[in-house]
Structure formats: C-alpha cells, structure tokens
Amino acid sequence: MANLNLIKLYDLFDCKIDGPLNERTLQSLQEWGLIPREGTYLCPEGHPLKLKQCAQSVDGYVWRCTTAIKGKKKNVRCDVYISLRKDTFFAKSRLSIFKIVAFAYLWVKNLTLDVIMEELSISNHTASDWSSFCREVVYDGMVVNKNKIGGLGKVVEIDESKFGRRKYHRGHRVEGQWVFGGVERETNRCFLVPVEKRDKETLLKIIKDWILPGTIVVSDFWKAYDCLSEEGYIHFRVNHSIDFKDPDTEQHTNTIEGLWRHVKCSMPQYHRKKLFFNGYLAKFMFNRNCKNCDTDRLSTFLKMAGRLYNPCSIKPVEEEEQEEYEIEISL
Ligand SMILES: [Zn+2]
C-alpha cells in the first residue's frame, strides 16, 4: 500500500472522526495488530469470540459470544462481552480511535504538540499523554526489541557526544547528557544510548548489545575502546575531525559526525527533559530507519504499537517484520 496520509486515514474511517467504526477500519486495525483477529479470544466455553456490532459501544463493536449451549433442562446461550479496546493501544483513552491514529500520524511526522493539539482539537494534557505513549512505542520497537547493526564486512563508526552544556535554567543547574552511538556506514542504521559514564564497562556492554561480532568498528582514541580487537571486532582508531581520513587505513568517522549533527537538530530545542531523552533518541532512530528502508512510518509505528500493546500472549517476532525496524533523519 502506498504511504498513508491524513486524507487516506480520513477516508479509511469513512470521514468520521468518532462514532462506530466500519468493517474496513476494523480490518486495517487488525492488520496493524492494534486489535486482535477473530479467533484470538475464547469464551469460557471455548467458543471463539466474534466482532459484533453494538450500539452501546463508542466504537460500535464488541467481542461477543452468543453461542447456544445445550443445558440440562433447556438450551441457553453464552453471553460474553469483551470491550474492543481491552488491553490494546486504545485502552484507557476516551479519544476516538480516529483521533488516536491521527495523533500517531502527526507525531511520527514530527509536528510539534502545539500543532497537533490544534489540528485534532485535543487538550494539552491529552497531547502530552499520547506523546508519552508514542515515545514508549518507539522505545520498545527500536531499543527493547533492537536489531543489531554491523556484521561481517560491515563498518560501524562509534563515538560519544555531549548533548547540551552545563547552564543555569530558572535557578537549576542543567547538566549536559552524554550519548554513545554507532552508525552502520553502508545503511545508516544507527543506535543511540544515553550514558552516565564513558568507561570501558559501560561502553563495551552497549557495543556488545548493539554491534554484531566480526564488524569493522571505527572509533577515536578514547581509551575505553582499547579492548575492542580482543572482543571479536576488527578495530580501527582514527583522529576525530570532520573530513579526516587516515592516510594508511583510509578509515574515517565522518558518518557518525554527520549523525550527531542530525540528531541534535532533531531534538526539541525547548522543554527538553532528561526523562524523555530515551524516547527522543528512539524516535530519531525510528524515523531514520523508516527513511533508509523507505517504509511507511505510520503503519510501521502502528505495528510496533500493536506488538507492545498486545492483549494476547507474546507472539514470536516475524523475521520480515524485523526488517522494517531499520532506521531517518528528521530535520
Ligand atoms: Zn461461548
């Protein structure tokens, strides 16, 4: 399917911003994994629950079993309801499903919360909540369920960079935040991890978490990297400055230097909260992946949300799906 946009979304919801959904919408929500497919829920008698229209439900549908059961004296019917939203990405929200999906669309497009609030007629509080849920989704999709980068014959440039300087803001001292990152030169796939320390233990653990053995790793002369050739990597050290190329090895770290510039530009310049830092970085990685792999951001995001908010048991991650979580740059 061609990339989703607001017009296509609006059309998918039959041009209704709230109220009962239609079958086409339900089918798309199931394809994204945001609601279960029929046959997932069973009633206590073991019958598969079906999506049934229900005028009392805001979304127009509920999971229902009304199968006849043979009783001792007379036949009775199952009478089981489960809310369409139970344990899904939409649970605990009173926003219409259209508005939630539209929020996700505008959010992955990197619009500011002020713009999103205005476009969707939602409050500041609702927008902050949903922004936080969306950050959780990309954090889970990009960091918790990470795809390692590198591998045999691949080059990964690594580096640390400090975000923000020490400054005084409304009487508080605001410290900068160190971020450790790496980028696969061939694909631009990257990882970014905030770190409190830049010692060998901290950085080596992240390297092993994120970079496949056998990778050609290029770094600067920071002492924490001294061990890399003993840890299964082919390690080159180069002088750190833009457009520098080692005359003997031809190695350089221009890719990661470029990455830092892009990440720093993409971070919200105001209200940047340390608590949200992981989420910002994960969002950057997510956008970069979608751009590099030319995948549709919204459907990739919604599938990640469906995986995180899975009302049923954890299902194995399909290989084909993993491919989509490669990494963009949002400027
Ligand atoms: Zn039943």
Side-chain angles (χ1 to χ4, degrees), residues 55-71:
Q56 287 84 41
S57 155
V58 280
D59 302 315
Y61 280 85
V62 288
W63 291 104
R64 186 104 169 85
C65 182
T66 53
T67 311
I69 324 170
K70 252 200 162 92

Side-chain angles (χ1 to χ4, degrees), residues 43-47 49 65-67 69 78-80:
C43 80
E45 300 291 330
H47 312 127
L49 267 59
C65 182
T66 53
T67 311
I69 324 170
C78 268
D79 190 15
V80 176

Side-chain angles (χ1 to χ4, degrees), residues 17-19 59 85 90 93-101:
I17 60 165
D18 53 19
D59 302 315
R85 296 196 184 202
F90 311 114
S93 175
R94 272 186 257 166
L95 274 191
S96 71
I97 290 184
F98 171 77
K99 281 198 178 182
I100 295 172
V101 174

Side-chain angles (χ1 to χ4, degrees), residues 174-186:
V174 181
E175 294 282 349
Q177 171 71 56
W178 279 100
V179 176
F180 176 56
V183 58
E184 190 180 285
R185 204 181 277 163
E186 292 82 359

Side-chain angles (χ1 to χ4, degrees), residues 194-260:
V195 288
E196 297 309 317
K197 286 198 220 159
R198 294 182 298 142
D199 57 354
K200 179 185 150 185
E201 284 67 36
T202 309
L203 301 185
L204 184 61
K205 186 182 179 305
I206 301 170
I207 290 169
K208 287 182 163 176
D209 270 0
W210 279 96
I211 309 178
L212 289 164
T215 305
I216 300 162
V217 175
V218 186
S219 73
D220 61 10
F221 285 89
W222 180 240
K223 58 184 183 320
Y225 303 136
D226 286 351
C227 60
L228 287 183
S229 42
E230 292 142 39
E231 297 287 345
Y233 300 102
I234 300 154
H235 186 205
F236 289 98
R237 292 184 190 86
V238 298
N239 199 340
H240 235 344
S241 62
I242 300 204
D243 296 332
F244 174 86
K245 208 177 225 183
D246 188 295
D248 299 327
T249 63
E250 298 253 295
Q251 287 298 350
H252 62 85
T253 49
N254 297 341
T255 322
I256 189 121
E257 295 294 336
L259 178 84
W260 292 131

Side-chain angles (χ1 to χ4, degrees), residues 125-159:
H125 184 80
T126 305
S128 306
D129 277 355
W130 277 99
S131 166
S132 151
F133 300 151
C134 289
R135 276 196 303 271
E136 277 170 26
V137 169
V138 289
Y139 184 77
D140 181 75
M142 300 308 303
V143 180
V144 179
N145 289 292
K146 65 173 71 69
N147 281 327
K148 291 190 182 197
I149 64 173
L152 285 178
K154 301 270 174 63
V155 180
V156 171
E157 297 175 25
I158 57 171
D159 191 21

